[in-house]
Amino acid sequence: MDKVQETVLEIDLKALKHNFEYLKSKLTDGTKFLAVVKAFAYGSDAAQVAKYLQELNIDYFAVAYTYEGVALRDAGITTPILVLHPQPVSFDTIIKRCLEPSLYSQYVLDGFIACAETHKQHNYPVHLKFNTGLNRLGFSAEDIPNVIKTVSKTKTIKVRSLFSHLAESEELATPDFTLKQIEQFNSIYKQVYKLLDYKPFLHLCNTSGIINYPEAHFDMVRSGIGLYGFGNDQSVNKYLKPIASLKTSISQIHYLKKGDSLGYNRGFIAQKDTKTATLPIGHADGIKRQYGNGHGFVIINNQKAYILGNVCMDMIMVDVTNIDCKEGDQAIIFDAKHTAEHLAENVNSISYELLTAVSQRIKRVLYR
Ligand SMILES: *Cc1c(COP(=O)(O)O)cnc(C)c1O
């Protein structure tokens, strides 16, 4: 790629394809693949990423909220879209835009059936979410008789799948909790299958589950972070390629004398003569304030340039005292080599948080 002249998020679709194929190679034939494209496809570009995955014959998409699914439909996505966390106020929109809700409580189940009735629906596809230990969303095993009674009474909806979500599938050293969740899910689907006169398909694993628990792939897997190039473990990361690179260019160089201050609240005071570079990216772009005062860095001419003082809304200033650089030179915040995961670790964060924080005002450049 050419050197950037402004702040840009480059998205490598070849890397996306590579990750998709790598993860798919872990599945047995016939297991469906759902791509999680919530939060702008983990901060990249949901519409473009989804279009590309649709070309690669992905089976399903998932988003968190209804409006994210609407944006994909507006972009021309025709693949089924599961809305993981819909609120009843959006049920009308779900039906109008042919999105498939996750129903996770009696309240949302009743609400959705009522809404589907007013739209005169027949066998509208829905997904039942069960809680197996994350304790975030989902029916419990005790709810099964009532849920199935409700579902069996109506022709308005049809349960397309049963699913649950793992709490710590990346912690392979301590598998006990995950194994209990898998056991619990097995028991849940068997009870549902006994009570229902058809068999919804099953899914449980996220990216780390795909890698670590092949016995729990069931009929479909749901991958987010893996598609974007991270496996939550060094041993997995080496097979994946981060798809997003966040780059910018130096706006101005300043030379501070010993005792000069830098930035808001005079967050940095030069202890010696210091050369600084000002970059057009700030906390409104996803570089949180925690990265300030030496906790975060960018890469300029292959060297680490630490952030000095406080992160501003639209700018950071970095220490380039020992780096040969000039105005207009490129700075890398993260890329395939200097990864988002590595940078995030410096502030006790994770790749997911840094990637999804990249603001929408930053230009996306896709290449394949
Ligand atoms: C976000 C999410 C996923 C994706 O998890 P990754 O670790 O990114 O693969 C899968 N399932 C559910 C229910 C989610 O909320």
Side-chain angles (χ1 to χ4, degrees):
M1 296 297 288
D2 292 341
K3 295 224 181 289
V4 302
Q5 294 173 304
E6 60 185 337
T7 306
V8 166
L9 187 75
E10 292 172 353
I11 296 156
D12 179 356
L13 294 176
K14 257 208 289 302
L16 177 65
K17 182 167 187 238
H18 166 89
N19 298 333
F20 177 50
E21 281 167 359
Y22 175 75
L23 292 164
K24 247 189 2 186
S25 77
K26 300 284 157 196
L27 310 180
T28 50
D29 280 354
T31 307
K32 287 202 265 281
F33 198 112
L34 174 151
V36 180
V37 293
K38 62 192 179 191
F40 303 103
Y42 289 43
S44 61
D45 184 325
Q48 297 305 323
V49 160
K51 272 189 196 167
Y52 187 64
L53 289 170
Q54 189 169 263
E55 281 176 36
L56 300 178
N57 291 319
I58 195 95
D59 299 290
Y60 247 95
F61 289 113
V63 293
Y65 308 135
T66 301
Y67 82 88
E68 297 181 292
V70 170
L72 293 181
R73 288 285 182 249
D74 285 344
I77 298 298
T78 53
T79 304
I81 300 171
L82 166 58
V83 181
L84 293 165
H85 193 180
Q87 285 72 50
V89 69
S90 69
F91 285 164
D92 257 331
T93 309
I94 288 207
I95 293 173
K96 282 186 191 137
R97 303 311 302 269
C98 294
L99 304 169
E100 302 181 8
S102 156
L103 302 178
Y104 47 86
S105 70
Q106 190 68 40
Y107 176 67
V108 297
L109 174 61
D110 291 340
F112 191 77
I113 291 171
C115 182
E117 274 166 4
T118 67
H119 285 269
K120 303 206 173 3
Q121 293 300 305
H122 183 69
N123 286 347
Y124 195 92
V126 304
H127 304 260
L128 296 182
K129 170 86 178 273
F130 286 90
N131 173 26
T132 53
L134 189 57
N135 291 327
R136 195 172 71 169
L137 282 185
F139 292 106
S140 65
E142 292 76 65
D143 298 328
I144 293 173
N146 278 330
V147 170
I148 300 310
K149 206 188 285 165
T150 309
V151 167
S152 302
K153 268 205 313 247
T154 176
K155 291 262 175 283
T156 332
I157 60 166
K158 181 154 187 188
V159 181
R160 196 149 192 201
S161 82
L162 311 176
F163 75 110
S164 187
H165 194 36
L166 298 172
E168 56 167 18
S169 54
E170 65 272 37
E171 310 290 349
L172 197 50
T174 52
D176 290 9
F177 192 82
T178 306
L179 293 174
K180 263 209 207 88
Q181 283 196 273
I182 295 170
E183 198 181 293
Q184 173 85 351
F185 186 61
N186 272 309
S187 142
I188 285 171
Y189 92 75
K190 282 174 190 159
Q191 290 176 61
V192 172
Y193 276 13
K194 255 191 224 141
L195 296 171
L196 204 61
D197 57 9
Y198 56 95
K199 293 188 165 51
F201 73 86
L202 310 170
H203 46 116
L204 177 65
C205 283
N206 64 339
T207 299
S208 297
I210 296 173
I211 306 288
N212 294 334
Y213 296 92
E215 73 275 26
H217 288 176
F218 294 98
D219 302 309
M220 182 167 82
V221 295
R222 307 185 302 267
S223 177
I225 199 74
L227 287 170
Y228 309 111
F230 295 94
N232 296 324
D233 193 277
Q234 288 313 320
S235 68
V236 184
N237 284 344
K238 65 172 187 257
Y239 297 107
L240 297 169
K241 298 181 180 173
I243 74 160
S245 299
L246 183 58
K247 300 176 178 175
T248 188
S249 89
I250 298 175
S251 301
Q252 197 176 19
I253 301 279
H254 285 264
Y255 295 92
L256 309 186
K257 293 256 173 294
K258 181 175 178 188
D260 284 351
S261 67
L262 175 68
Y264 286 131
N265 307 103
R266 308 184 66 213
F268 173 77
I269 308 281
Q271 302 301 312
K272 57 179 172 49
D273 290 358
T274 303
K275 179 185 176 190
T276 69
T278 302
L279 306 174
I281 185 165
H283 61 71
D285 302 295
I287 309 300
K288 306 225 159 115
R289 278 171 55 90
Q290 294 95 295
Y291 290 100
N293 298 300
H295 295 289
F297 54 84
V298 303
I299 305 293
I300 297 175
N301 288 332
N302 277 317
Q303 283 175 271
K304 277 186 184 174
Y306 283 90
I307 299 174
L308 296 174
N310 291 315
V311 172
C312 312
M313 189 185 293
D314 317 304
M315 283 170 247
I316 50 176
M317 286 73 87
V318 298
D319 186 356
V320 291
T321 307
N322 298 313
I323 301 178
D324 179 20
C325 62
K326 58 184 188 312
E327 290 165 2
D329 281 1
Q330 176 169 280
I332 295 166
I333 291 88
F334 56 74
D335 66 5
K337 183 158 157 230
H338 312 282
T339 65
E341 184 172 82
H342 181 59
L343 180 55
E345 275 165 10
N346 290 284
V347 298
N348 274 323
S349 182
I350 52 175
S351 58
Y352 297 74
E353 189 182 31
L354 180 55
L355 294 171
T356 57
V358 176
S359 126
Q360 287 301 301
R361 72 177 178 177
I362 291 176
K363 182 168 155 189
R364 269 66 176 164
V365 175
L366 289 99
Y367 59 99
R368 48 166 92 187

